[in-house]
Amino acid sequence: MKQNTKSRLLLAITFVFSTFSFGQAKKWTLEECVGYAIEHNISIKQSTLDKQLSDISKKDAIGRFLPSINGQASHSWNTGLSNDPLSGVKTNQTTESSNFGASASVDIYKGLQNQNELRKAKLSIIASQYQLTKMQEDVSLNVVNAYLQILFNKENLKVQEEQLAYDKQQLERSNELVEAGVIPKGDLLDVKATVATDNQRLIAAQNALLISKLSLAQLLQLDDFEEFDIADADTDTEQSTILMEDPKVILRKAKETRTDLKIAQTNVQISEREVKMAKGAYQPSLSASYNIGTSILHRNTLIDSNLIPSFSDQFKDNLGQNFGLSLNVPIFNGFSVRNNVLRSKIALDRSKIALEQQELDLERTVFTAYTDTKGALKTHEAAVATLEAREGAFQYAKERYEVGLMNVFDFNQTQTLYVNAQSEVLRTKYDYIFRTKILEFYFGIPIIKK
């Protein structure tokens, strides 16, 4: 009997434990979020397809160096009065014949257009790879921002929960003091109002956390986002070594590593190739061609079919070949070549201006990011100092309130300022962490340190 009871107890414990383990939702780390987003994000998938198209364009460019080869075959019937293919006399008859042939042609010289097109295709592959990298970087930064927002909302929710728990204790104590006649009933009503306000703030914090989780889950393209949650991470606000760098050094490093700038530089090179391709149309083009063919007259259609040679004899006897060179010299083409050259030059100027603008934007962005990061650090330090002062004021007010030297209204005001200071420390903390990530990113430090 005792053994039976032990077995049932063990079975029940096992069931409860397995149910608890099964019900636990996966906790996503920052590295997992970034990796999953890069693999599943729609924009990144589109950029990957663009790169595949660039690879195909390169194969097209290579194919233009190769000869084009085509085969031909035809079969015809001729009924009525026609020349006899053997005697040449007009005869009312039906003849049946077949023709076979093959042709080949190749460009020998085309103003170096094929060579420049191949170089342009190679540059386009590089540009599409840069574009894919840029998209991955943008998505990674968005994921980091969303992840930090969840961490902030989690810590802010803890602050609101702790505040609500404390005020509920104050409500119980105030009830006792009112019953003992130490404080007026109006103070009790103020404490109840404070607890109600705490509940509102708690609900707002819970909603903010839920929305931030939903935002990150959608960014990751997750279908089941209801149980989505992230792993708690230790975050600190120790001064990053990046702020010890000179902004000019960061800018120089950014010019070496930033994908936006590489894309603009590659676009200039592509435009230069397009100008050379357009100018190539001014030059003569030379091509070679080769053709081979034969014809067969079928036996079963003539009266005296014995006079017609066999299929193999006809195939050899009627076999013919021709080959030649073709030179095309452009003289006048309605200004189309000249206009194409002018259009390509304008496109080159546009890409150069875009590169200059990108360099200016990068310089402004780096210096702004550096200033914002320093400002965020100072703001956080000020918030921490404010919190220390608010905490001391709250403890002092608490002592005075408990001995009846402060009314409940003034105490609630001090308490509200203390809670707001806690939230401000959290906000400035994660703002500084994210801005540091951005500045490190411009310095070439990976977003995720593996």
Side-chain angles (χ1 to χ4, degrees):
M1 183 69 177
K2 287 182 180 179
Q3 184 66 30
N4 238 355
T5 305
K6 286 182 180 179
S7 299
R8 289 179 182 177
L9 181 60
L10 181 62
L11 182 63
I13 293 174
T14 304
F15 175 78
V16 171
F17 180 76
S18 61
T19 304
F20 173 76
S21 300
F22 180 80
Q24 281 185 317
K26 172 182 171 58
K27 301 280 189 177
W28 292 68
T29 64
L30 180 56
E31 290 78 7
E32 288 174 335
C33 289
V34 171
Y36 190 89
I38 289 176
E39 185 177 352
H40 295 86
N41 185 268
I42 292 178
S43 298
I44 291 179
K45 288 181 179 179
Q46 291 175 338
S47 296
T48 303
L49 293 177
D50 291 338
K51 184 182 180 301
Q52 292 176 2
L53 288 176
S54 298
D55 292 335
I56 295 174
S57 297
K58 178 186 174 183
K59 293 178 181 179
D60 288 337
I62 294 174
R64 289 185 174 85
F65 288 94
L66 304 176
S68 60
I69 302 174
N70 298 284
Q72 304 90 29
S74 64
H75 189 87
S76 61
W77 291 265
N78 187 18
T79 302
L81 190 63
S82 61
N83 288 329
D84 190 306
L86 299 177
S87 63
V89 178
K90 287 188 177 295
T91 309
N92 192 6
Q93 62 181 343
T94 297
T95 58
E96 187 177 351
S97 62
S98 298
N99 294 284
F100 305 94
S103 62
S105 62
V106 62
D107 290 327
I108 298 176
Y109 183 77
K110 200 178 177 182
L112 300 179
Q113 287 178 309
N114 291 343
Q115 288 85 344
N116 286 316
E117 185 171 359
L118 177 58
R119 293 189 181 100
K120 175 193 169 184
K122 291 179 179 179
L123 289 170
S124 296
I125 291 177
I126 295 174
S128 60
Q129 180 60 58
Y130 285 149
Q131 192 63 46
L132 175 60
T133 302
K134 180 182 181 300
M135 189 62 64
Q136 291 172 341
E137 292 170 347
D138 291 344
V139 170
S140 298
L141 280 175
N142 290 335
V143 169
V144 170
N145 188 27
Y147 196 94
L148 291 176
Q149 186 64 43
I150 295 177
L151 290 178
F152 162 71
N153 288 329
K154 278 189 170 185
E155 290 196 29
N156 189 51
L157 179 59
K158 290 179 183 177
V159 170
Q160 302 304 327
E161 288 173 342
E162 291 172 0
Q163 191 58 45
L164 176 60
Y166 174 77
D167 286 339
K168 283 183 176 179
Q169 291 177 357
Q170 287 297 106
L171 180 59
E172 292 176 3
R173 178 172 173 76
S174 297
N175 265 320
E176 295 173 357
L177 293 175
V178 168
E179 291 175 359
V182 177
I183 63 174
K185 190 174 181 180
D187 286 0
L188 178 61
L189 297 176
D190 284 337
V191 175
K192 287 183 177 180
T194 300
V195 172
T197 302
D198 289 342
N199 276 313
Q200 291 177 351
R201 288 177 177 173
L202 180 63
I203 292 172
Q206 290 172 338
N207 290 337
L209 177 58
L210 179 62
I211 291 173
S212 59
K213 288 182 179 180
L214 176 61
S215 298
L216 180 54
Q218 289 178 336
L219 189 60
L220 299 181
Q221 308 291 330
L222 292 177
D223 294 329
D224 185 15
F225 54 81
E226 295 177 354
E227 299 297 326
F228 175 77
D229 197 6
I230 65 171
D232 294 332
D234 293 329
T235 55
D236 57 65
T237 54
E238 294 182 2
Q239 183 171 344
S240 172
T241 55
I242 191 66
L243 288 176
M244 301 175 65
E245 299 286 347
D246 187 276
K248 293 181 180 178
V249 176
I250 298 176
L251 176 60
R252 186 165 60 249
K253 187 71 174 179
K255 287 183 177 180
E256 297 173 359
T257 59
R258 281 301 297 138
T259 310
D260 306 50
L261 205 58
K262 291 179 180 180
I263 292 174
Q265 292 168 346
T266 307
N267 287 338
V268 170
Q269 295 175 342
I270 291 174
S271 297
E272 289 173 345
R273 287 298 165 186
E274 288 177 342
V275 171
K276 292 182 178 180
M277 288 170 57
K279 287 182 177 180
Y282 280 125
Q283 300 183 32
S285 60
L286 179 65
S287 61
S289 62
Y290 173 78
N291 295 277
I292 184 172
T294 187
S295 60
I296 306 296
L297 183 65
H298 293 270
R299 295 182 164 199
N300 58 356
T301 59
L302 299 174
I303 298 174
D304 192 0
S305 59
N306 292 326
L307 298 176
I308 300 177
S310 65
F311 183 94
S312 59
D313 290 340
Q314 289 188 75
F315 189 90
K316 291 185 293 183
D317 295 340
N318 297 335
L319 190 65
Q321 305 178 58
N322 73 76
F323 49 87
L325 298 174
S326 175
L327 178 66
N328 181 39
V329 180
I331 298 175
F332 182 75
N333 43 43
F335 304 113
S336 62
V337 175
R338 188 193 68 172
N339 292 337
N340 285 336
V341 172
L342 292 176
R343 273 191 288 267
S344 60
K345 286 183 176 179
I346 292 174
L348 175 59
D349 291 338
R350 285 180 180 274
S351 60
K352 288 181 178 179
I353 292 173
L355 175 58
E356 292 177 6
Q357 186 63 52
Q358 192 66 52
E359 290 175 343
L360 291 174
D361 291 344
L362 180 61
E363 182 177 359
R364 183 178 63 253
T365 301
V366 168
F367 277 90
T368 301
Y370 185 85
T371 304
D372 288 346
T373 305
K374 288 188 69 175
L377 177 59
K378 291 179 180 179
T379 302
H380 177 66
E381 291 172 346
V384 171
T386 302
L387 176 60
E388 292 175 356
R390 294 296 182 194
E391 185 177 10
F394 173 69
Q395 293 299 332
Y396 179 68
K398 178 182 175 183
E399 293 172 0
R400 296 190 64 196
Y401 174 72
E402 288 177 349
V403 297
L405 296 178
M406 176 179 283
N407 61 49
V408 69
F409 177 79
D410 291 337
F411 176 71
N412 285 340
Q413 288 291 99
T414 305
Q415 182 178 338
T416 300
L417 291 174
Y418 173 55
V419 173
N420 291 341
Q422 288 178 299
S423 297
E424 184 65 10
V425 166
L426 293 176
R427 186 194 68 79
T428 56
K429 169 187 173 181
Y430 286 104
D431 180 60
Y432 167 68
I433 292 173
F434 181 65
R435 292 187 185 279
T436 301
K437 285 282 186 183
I438 293 177
L439 193 59
E440 290 177 343
F441 171 64
Y442 283 117
F443 193 62
I445 299 175
I447 297 173
I448 300 299
K449 299 175 184 177
K450 298 181 181 180

